[in-house]
Amino acid sequence: MSPSTPAKRGRLLYRRTFYVPAGAIADVGAVSTQVRRILRGLGVEPEVVRRVSIICFEGETNIAIFTKGGRITLMVWEDRVELFFSDSGPGIEDLELVRRPGYSTAPDWARELGFGAGMGIPNMEKNADVFVLRSRPGKGTAIRATVWRSRDERKGSGAGTRA
Amino acid sequence: MNAREVARALGLEAVAFPHPEAEVEGGFCSDLLSRAMAEASPGEAWITYQRHLNVVAVAKLKELSMVILARGPEPEPEVAARAEEEGVNLLRSGAGMFELAGRLYTLLSRGPRNR
Amino acid sequence: MRLCEVAELTQAEVLTGKELLDREVDKGCGADLLSDVLSVVEENFLLITGMVTPQAVRVAEVMNAAAVLIVRGKCPQDPVIAYADEAGIPLLATQKGMFETCGLLYSRGLRPTRFRRVSEYAG
């Protein structure tokens, strides 16, 4: 996947930052459901809403389970929706491993709550048109996921939304 | 109906299949190992999305007839090796839990009459 | 199949969304692991789960599921029911286990959802 920055075009329509505390497992999904409602309220295309919500769900799960806390910024542009995830560590040691379906370092308590199947990063990557992950072990991880709003630029194989 | 017949009828792929003659007495679905520990009965086929090592331990302890891994990534090689070692039937499918449960339920409920 | 038929077939109690029981569902997805629900590529399905956490309802909301059917006689806490009510997601609860519930619904014609293929993830 190309890590290129989306060309700067289109106007920023909406921006909001959400905070996800460490271990806030009971609240997982709270940000993505809010994001979904915001996007629907702004009239964003249903397939884009769906993809962004899925990406957000996986991202906030990761922040809550694995990190010391972090934040998620939603940016809605005329031509795209972007989610920016950042956390305060501990970072990811092996970036190739976390992209591998089924790889998981989730603790047992997380698995018993229905998390930790090792599909988080792969599912985020699959639903994004542009996915950039940077991590510094010991410092933290930053992820930018972009979903294009125009059908032409969007991935063809994506989550189908029934007409 | 034994595990081999179930595997054939559902088109399952063997990951480890040391006891194909094991009798399948029923089905059980859960992705939570604690639930499987508490609620699964001996002889049942356990359908799950979980595929880590502890699944094998639970299946062995609860004397389940087979574990059916629903759609998902390939299990790690050590999971297959452990299942073989412990004598646990471990099979996988590209179908999801709902479909596997539905088809196994249908299969087992008409099994005795078709004998 | 309408939700009221789902409820009848599985002898489920309707925890919230009584006014939405005419809703049609033709697909079902059973899972406790929520990431598997997040890889469903369809909408308006019935989510069948043993989880009673708030996440179960939030996943259903994000995925535009038609309803959530909770198995094994588990009952979510009041805030979860209230949330589902507000989100417009009917919550049903049956005493039956996941296997029997899926079996009954499948044998009455509910079809499995499609998922994103695992091979598509190969990084």
Side-chain angles (χ1 to χ4, degrees):
Chain A
M1 179 163 302
S2 160
S4 65
T5 307
K8 287 278 176 281
R9 52 182 178 154
R11 205 156 47 89
L12 181 63
L13 305 175
Y14 185 94
R15 179 195 172 106
R16 182 163 163 193
T17 297
F18 304 87
Y19 293 87
V20 182
I25 200 80
D27 292 329
V28 160
V31 177
S32 48
T33 47
Q34 277 186 76
V35 162
R36 175 177 174 270
R37 290 177 192 198
I38 289 165
L39 295 179
R40 282 162 68 115
L42 291 169
V44 171
E45 303 70 19
E47 193 196 333
V48 177
V49 175
R50 181 181 166 90
R51 285 194 188 193
V52 171
S53 307
I54 294 172
I55 294 166
C56 190
F57 205 107
E58 297 283 17
E60 66 175 307
T61 304
N62 284 344
I63 293 176
I65 294 181
F66 295 108
T67 78
K68 298 172 186 164
R71 57 186 186 178
I72 302 171
T73 299
L74 167 71
M75 280 175 283
V76 184
W77 303 79
E78 279 177 325
D79 60 346
R80 66 190 187 273
V81 177
E82 286 184 321
L83 283 171
F84 187 77
F85 303 85
S86 60
D87 64 63
S88 344
I92 299 169
E93 291 286 346
D94 189 330
L95 293 184
E96 281 310 306
L97 267 182
V98 298
R99 294 178 61 215
R100 201 170 81 192
Y103 175 80
S104 177
T105 55
D108 286 347
W109 63 262
R111 291 181 194 266
E112 288 300 295
L113 288 169
F115 299 105
M119 298 303 287
I121 300 281
N123 209 18
M124 291 173 84
E125 188 165 354
K126 199 66 208 178
N127 279 285
D129 293 313
V130 183
F131 184 80
V132 185
L133 190 161
R134 293 203 176 86
S135 190
R136 289 180 65 193
K139 297 285 184 193
T141 301
I143 292 175
R144 196 187 62 225
T146 307
V147 178
W148 292 108
R149 296 184 62 182
S150 116
R151 191 167 285 278
D152 308 339
E153 288 172 286
R154 224 178 293 150
K155 277 182 190 168
S157 64
T161 296
R162 227 182 277 165
Chain B
M1 181 169 290
N2 67 30
R4 179 189 287 117
E5 292 165 322
V6 167
R8 193 177 301 140
L10 299 185
L12 307 177
E13 180 194 330
V15 176
F17 211 2
H19 299 299
E21 304 301 330
E23 193 64 20
V24 178
E25 316 269 1
F28 178 80
C29 295
S30 183
D31 297 324
L32 307 186
L33 302 189
S34 55
R35 293 258 178 89
M37 275 302 289
E39 298 168 19
S41 307
E44 284 180 337
W46 176 20
I47 301 166
T48 184
Y49 286 109
Q50 292 281 13
R51 52 240 299 124
H52 65 288
L53 213 45
N54 295 346
V55 168
V56 176
V58 172
K60 163 100 174 165
L61 218 63
K62 299 294 288 188
E63 300 171 17
L64 304 180
S65 53
M66 63 200 299
V67 179
I68 305 174
L69 304 178
R71 63 168 291 284
E74 201 172 326
E76 299 290 328
E78 55 265 37
V79 177
R82 180 70 63 86
E84 198 70 59
E85 204 176 292
E86 299 279 358
V88 169
N89 290 331
L90 186 67
L91 294 97
R92 64 187 289 231
S93 168
M97 179 184 279
F98 178 80
E99 181 176 357
L100 287 168
R103 290 172 61 199
L104 181 59
Y105 180 89
T106 308
L107 195 65
L108 294 177
S109 57
R110 70 166 178 234
R113 285 199 298 276
N114 287 356
R115 207 164 26 202
Chain C
M1 187 182 300
R2 284 181 306 157
L3 284 179
C4 52
E5 296 170 76
V6 170
E8 196 185 315
L9 198 61
T10 59
Q11 294 163 16
E13 186 189 344
V14 181
L15 302 176
T16 182
K18 286 194 171 64
E19 67 287 359
L20 300 170
L21 293 186
D22 274 341
R23 206 177 257 186
E24 279 282 341
V25 282
D26 54 359
K27 301 273 178 102
C29 171
D32 298 322
L33 276 186
L34 300 178
S35 58
D36 287 287
V37 185
L38 289 169
S39 57
V40 169
V41 294
E42 297 175 283
E43 302 185 341
N44 298 318
F45 59 91
L46 177 69
L47 172 59
I48 307 158
T49 183
M51 303 300 286
V52 291
T53 53
Q55 293 87 38
V57 177
R58 295 200 189 110
V59 165
E61 182 182 357
V62 162
M63 300 306 288
N64 297 330
V68 180
L69 172 58
I70 296 161
V71 297
R72 297 187 196 94
K74 306 280 171 188
C75 191
Q77 294 182 323
D78 289 343
V80 178
I81 300 176
Y83 183 85
D85 185 45
E86 184 248 338
I89 298 174
L91 267 188
L92 289 70
T94 175
Q95 297 294 321
K96 298 180 191 302
M98 175 76 92
F99 180 72
E100 188 186 359
T101 300
C102 294
L104 283 170
L105 292 169
Y106 183 89
S107 65
R108 289 298 186 88
L110 201 68
R111 296 297 92 191
T113 51
R114 287 180 298 115
F115 294 89
R116 190 185 289 284
R117 287 204 313 277
V118 178
S119 58
E120 286 179 40
Y121 286 105

